Amino acid sequence: MKAALPFRRTILSGLAMLCAGGTAHAQTPTVSVQIRLRTGGEVTGLIVDHDDHGIVIVRDKMPYVFAWREMELASALAARRAALVLLRGGEDQLTGEDWFAMGLMALRWDRNDVAGGQFREAEKRDKQLKARVREALEEYRRRKQARAAEDPFEDAVNDERENQASEWADAVPERPADIEAQLSDAYHTFGAKVQEVLGKDVVLLESEHFLVWTDWEGKLRDQLPRLCESMYAALSEQFGIAPDEQVFAAKCPVFCFRSKAKFRKFARYFDGYEAVSATGYTRSIERHGHVHVVLLRPGKSEIDFDQFACTLVHEGSHAFVHRLYTHRLIPHWVNEGLAELMAERVLGERCDVGETADLLARQYARYDWKLDGLLQSASPLEVHQYPAAHSIVAYLQSRDRAKFVEFVRRLKDGRSSSEALADAYGLSIEELDRGWREASTLGAPKELP
Ligand SMILES: [Zn+2]
C-alpha cells in the first residue's frame, strides 16, 4: 500500500517534443518542482533525473541542471525529496539512506537544526545509521570550528561617487617598454586608491602571480593567495606554460570581499557595473590586456566558502585565458566550458560542476536533445548552458590534451570554432556533437542515492 504522493504526478510529455528520434521516453512519469537559487531567481520544471550532486529539470523544452548546493536549502530539500519519492514510488518508500543524504545536505548549509529532523527520520528507518549520524555531526563541528574566525563586520558604505572605470585605463601605460614595472606600480597605486574608497581594512596579500586585496578575516585570508596559486599551477599545466613564466602583465589583481556593500561599491565605482545578483566577475580590457577579478564570499557557511572558491577559479581562468598567447577573446562556449572544467579540476569535491555536467550530458544523449547552435554561436552563453559547454570541453580534452592546447592556440590566433576544430582535431562541429553524445551514453551512470 503506497501513500498518496504529495506532488502532482505528471507525464513528461514535454520530452516527446524534444525527442528527435521517436517517443520511446515520452511516457516517463515525473513531477513538477520549483528550484530557488541561492543567488536569487527561480525556475519551475519537470524532473528528468537526479543524483547525489544535482537535478535535471525540463521547462519550455529546455533542459536545466542544478547542483543541490546552488539552491536554497528549503528548495533543495523539497526537490530532492520529490525526486526520491518519484524514484522509490511513494513517500513511505523513502529509505534511511535517503533521509541521511538529505540531513548531510542541511549540514552543508550550516543548518544542523534542519539536519536533526532528517537524521531522526533516517534513524527511525534504519537503526544502523545512528553511528554514521554521530560521525557526520562530529565532522560538521570540526569543520565549523576550523572556519570560525574573528568577529564579522559589515561596514555601511554610502559614498555614492562617480564610476571611476576610466582610472584603470589611464593608469595602465600604452607603451610596451617597461610595461611590467609600470603596471606593477600602477597596480600598487590603484590598491591605495581602493583603500581610500573602501577603507583601510582592505589589505594586500602578494604572491608570485597575484595581488590579492581583501577584507576577509585575518585567520581566513591566507587561503586566498594559496587558492590563486593552485589555480595558476593547474592552468599552467593545462597549457604547458613553465611555472615561473608570467602570463599576466606584472601580476593579476584579485579583489576578494566578504562585505557585499564593499563588493557592490567596488563594482560600481571602479568598473561601472551594477553587481546586484553577481558573486564575481572578470574585467578584461582588450586594448592593452589588463584583467582583474572581483569576488564576493556570500556568507560564512561551508557552501559559501566552496561557492566562493568555485567562482574564484572560474573567473581566474577567464583572466588567465584572456592573457594566454594573445589578448583575443575566445568563443564563449570554450571560455565558459574551460572555466568550469578548471574549477572542477582545482577544487575536486568542493565543486559539483563536473558531476552536474555529466548528469546533464547523459540526458542530452538519452533524449537526443539538440545543442541549438551552442557550438557556432558568438553570443554569450546563458548560465544554464555552462554545463553542456563544460561537458564538451571535457570531452575534447579526454580525446587528446595536446590537441586541445592546439585548438585553443588557433582560437587565440583568431580562427573560428569550426576552423580551429578542423585544424587541431580534424573534426567538424557535427562530428564533435556526435562523438560527445556517444561518449556521454557510454559513461557509466552514477548510482542513484
Ligand atoms: Zn564565466
Side-chain angles (χ1 to χ4, degrees):
M1 184 56 203
K2 286 176 184 172
L5 282 170
F7 312 100
R8 197 164 54 88
R9 207 172 238 276
T10 327
I11 297 297
L12 199 43
S13 54
L15 285 181
M17 321 282 284
L18 290 158
C19 251
T23 54
H25 306 283
Q27 298 300 305
T28 315
T30 184
V31 293
S32 172
V33 284
Q34 188 190 42
I35 308 284
R36 282 195 317 280
L37 297 174
R38 299 174 62 235
T39 49
E42 55 183 56
V43 54
T44 302
L46 299 170
I47 297 176
V48 176
D49 202 355
H50 82 287
D51 65 11
D52 268 343
H53 305 281
I55 185 166
V56 180
I57 62 168
V58 60
R59 175 212 167 92
D60 296 338
K61 303 179 191 174
M62 189 88 78
Y64 296 81
V65 66
F66 299 99
W68 300 119
R69 63 173 82 190
E70 283 181 271
M71 298 158 61
E72 281 181 12
L73 178 60
S75 167
L77 284 175
R80 187 155 197 189
R81 191 159 148 189
L84 285 166
V85 167
L86 190 66
L87 180 75
R88 306 282 182 230
E91 179 92 22
D92 60 347
Q93 303 294 308
L94 293 184
T95 65
E97 290 284 348
D98 292 343
W99 287 103
F100 182 64
M102 290 190 273
L104 288 182
M105 209 146 106
L107 285 187
R108 273 245 170 86
W109 270 252
D110 224 348
R111 290 296 302 274
N112 48 340
D113 54 332
V114 176
Q118 316 285 332
F119 286 148
R120 268 193 299 283
E121 294 295 329
E123 289 177 2
K124 231 190 268 172
R125 282 164 185 77
D126 184 352
K127 299 271 176 285
Q128 311 242 343
L129 284 170
K130 272 202 166 123
R132 283 169 64 199
V133 166
R134 204 170 46 238
E135 264 169 46
L137 286 170
E138 277 165 15
E139 174 61 25
Y140 164 73
R141 276 178 215 116
R142 268 197 300 278
R143 289 199 309 258
K144 196 172 160 113
Q145 264 163 16
R147 273 198 322 274
E150 293 145 21
D151 56 300
F153 81 105
E154 283 294 323
D155 276 4
V157 181
N158 301 311
D159 196 355
E160 294 282 343
R161 287 200 228 170
E162 295 261 288
N163 154 38
Q164 298 291 304
S166 64
E167 282 196 16
W168 273 114
D170 296 343
V172 179
E174 291 265 21
R175 284 186 308 117
D178 294 331
I179 196 152
E180 272 210 16
Q182 290 185 46
L183 268 176
S184 184
D185 284 351
Y187 287 167
H188 282 96
T189 309
F190 185 76
K193 179 76 186 171
V194 171
Q195 286 185 327
E196 187 192 313
V197 174
L198 298 180
K200 286 270 185 266
D201 47 359
V202 177
V203 298
L204 171 65
L205 306 169
E206 193 160 354
S207 69
E208 200 181 341
H209 305 94
F210 297 90
L211 298 167
V212 179
W213 275 277
T214 184
D215 67 348
W216 276 32
E217 303 87 334
K219 287 180 200 158
L220 299 176
R221 60 172 78 119
D222 287 350
Q223 62 187 281
L224 295 170
R226 273 205 305 277
L227 183 56
C228 288
E229 291 298 339
S230 342
M231 167 185 78
Y232 193 90
L235 281 157
S236 300
E237 207 235 318
Q238 160 75 59
F239 290 104
I241 307 282
D244 56 348
E245 201 176 315
Q246 181 60 279
V247 166
F248 298 112
K251 296 182 181 186
C252 180
V254 181
F255 299 90
C256 302
F257 297 107
R258 62 172 159 157
S259 151
K260 186 161 194 187
K262 281 187 165 60
F263 171 74
R264 289 194 58 187
K265 178 161 188 181
F266 183 100
R268 195 168 57 233
Y269 191 98
F270 293 107
D271 291 329
Y273 174 43
E274 282 300 327
V276 180
S277 60
T279 52
Y281 64 90
T282 307
R283 174 93 187 270
S284 303
I285 301 177
E286 227 171 349
R287 179 162 59 85
H288 44 57
H290 164 79
V291 288
H292 66 251
V293 176
V294 189
L295 303 156
L296 171 69
R297 192 190 82 210
K300 289 190 80 168
S301 71
E302 187 178 353
I303 50 169
D304 288 315
F305 279 85
D306 288 350
Q307 183 194 320
F308 172 87
C310 218
T311 311
L312 185 147
V313 179
H314 179 107
E315 297 301 334
S317 298
H318 286 330
F320 184 100
V321 169
H322 176 61
R323 301 275 322 170
L324 183 69
Y325 311 136
T326 67
H327 297 173
R328 193 175 271 113
L329 298 169
I330 60 173
H332 291 283
W333 71 268
V334 187
N335 205 11
E336 301 300 350
L338 182 61
E340 295 285 275
L341 182 76
M342 294 315 298
E344 180 67 40
R345 191 173 290 163
V346 173
L347 298 168
E349 282 188 358
R350 295 184 67 191
C351 187
D352 276 334
V353 291
E355 290 81 358
T356 47
D358 287 350
L359 177 62
L360 182 68
R362 285 202 300 278
Q363 320 306 323
Y364 267 94
R366 182 194 292 173
Y367 297 108
D368 203 19
W369 289 335
K370 298 298 163 218
L371 281 169
D372 249 355
L374 177 82
L375 304 178
Q376 288 97 340
S377 169
S379 45
L381 265 56
E382 303 278 347
V383 176
H384 70 83
Q385 295 177 301
Y386 289 11
H390 176 175
S391 175
I392 294 163
V393 168
Y395 168 69
L396 279 173
Q397 294 213 3
S398 74
R399 280 184 68 123
D400 193 320
R401 283 277 274 271
K403 285 181 181 173
F404 182 79
V405 173
E406 188 54 31
F407 171 63
V408 171
R409 199 180 269 281
R410 306 269 168 164
L411 294 173
K412 295 289 290 189
D413 283 340
R415 308 286 174 91
S416 68
S417 294
S418 53
E419 287 166 343
L421 200 56
D423 287 352
Y425 285 91
L427 284 176
S428 66
I429 295 276
E430 294 69 30
E431 285 164 334
L432 167 60
D433 187 324
R434 216 175 310 134
W436 167 65
R437 281 165 202 278
E438 275 164 26
S440 301
T441 309
L442 294 175
K446 295 223 158 52
E447 260 194 355
L448 288 167

